[in-house]
Amino acid sequence: PLRYVLSASIADDILQSAHRSLRTLRSDALRAEPFTPILLDNVQLTIESRVIREIKQSENVVGLWEGSDPSLRNEVVVISGHFDHMGTSSSGEIYYGADDDASGTSAVIEIAEAFAANRVRPKRSVLFLAVTGEEKGLLGSSYYSSNPIIPLDRTMADLNIDMIGRIDTSHANRNIERYIYII
């Protein structure tokens, strides 16, 4: 699916038909009460786009820890993260990827090592999955979903780990140091 990002001025032009603005919608969305969506009638957009497809090769990394239960070992819980980031912008600005998502991939490796060091095996199998191309359109996870090592109907859950070191400003602004920020 294609996604389009509209500028604030174009969004305001579209919202004008409902006598709203992007500023008022943002303000409404930040209030405590539930946000009420608005219906835009008789809005017609013409969007012209050009899709350029490139075929590039990359690798996902997969490890399987077999479960102990004779029947449940055929089911799998996936623990995943992605090991790519955006690299650099066209102007040369570096997008550092230590948090997004070297931290998640490191956690997947640490969890795999903990399973390997434990004498007790889980009943279900555990698949450790590090995917690539996520920042470019979820490419690695899409590939895995289309070509799973264990059939998806036997995949019970995927615990995807992303950005462990993320700072939640709403907690940080209140000097709360012990919290979990879940993405």
Side-chain angles (χ1 to χ4, degrees):
L2 294 176
R3 286 179 251 156
Y4 295 93
V5 178
L6 302 177
S7 68
S9 63
I10 290 177
D12 274 332
D13 288 346
I14 294 169
L15 292 168
Q16 203 172 47
S17 68
H19 307 292
R20 302 298 290 274
S21 71
L22 189 56
R23 173 179 254 164
T24 59
L25 286 179
R26 281 183 179 150
S27 175
D28 291 349
L30 292 173
R31 286 199 199 119
E33 65 265 5
F35 176 74
T36 305
I38 61 169
L39 177 64
L40 300 174
D41 274 335
N42 299 318
V43 173
Q44 184 175 1
L45 297 175
T46 302
I47 298 174
E48 186 175 315
S49 65
R50 189 170 45 109
V51 176
I52 300 171
R53 296 196 185 268
E54 295 179 54
I55 296 176
K56 295 190 177 190
Q57 185 169 332
S58 187
E59 294 82 19
N60 288 337
V61 179
V62 180
L64 181 65
W65 191 250
E66 190 173 59
S68 62
D69 184 274
S71 60
L72 291 178
R73 77 171 46 142
N74 295 320
E75 297 177 352
V76 69
V77 172
V78 178
I79 299 176
S80 63
H82 69 91
F83 59 90
D84 70 310
H85 196 62
M86 298 300 288
T88 58
S89 70
S90 58
S91 64
E93 176 188 5
I94 298 172
Y95 298 123
Y96 297 99
D99 188 17
D100 185 5
D101 185 44
S103 63
T105 305
S106 298
V108 172
I109 293 167
E110 289 293 322
I111 293 168
E113 287 178 347
F115 271 93
N118 193 337
R119 291 182 297 136
V120 178
R121 285 185 178 261
K123 291 182 179 183
R124 286 187 173 88
S125 297
V126 180
L127 185 109
F128 300 96
L129 176 63
V131 295
T132 188
E134 295 304 278
E135 301 291 352
K136 297 290 186 181
L138 305 175
L139 303 176
S141 56
S142 293
Y143 180 84
Y144 181 81
S145 295
S146 299
N147 303 277
I149 302 296
I150 305 295
L152 295 180
D153 64 350
R154 294 193 344 232
T155 300
M156 301 296 101
D158 180 353
L159 305 174
N160 186 59
I161 303 170
D162 194 309
M163 295 187 277
I164 291 174
R166 184 59 46 146
I167 296 172
D168 179 349
T169 55
S170 68
H171 287 89
N173 292 342
R174 293 182 287 154
N175 292 324
I176 299 172
E177 294 181 12
R178 294 177 58 106
Y179 62 89
I180 298 174
Y181 187 89
I182 298 174
I183 297 179

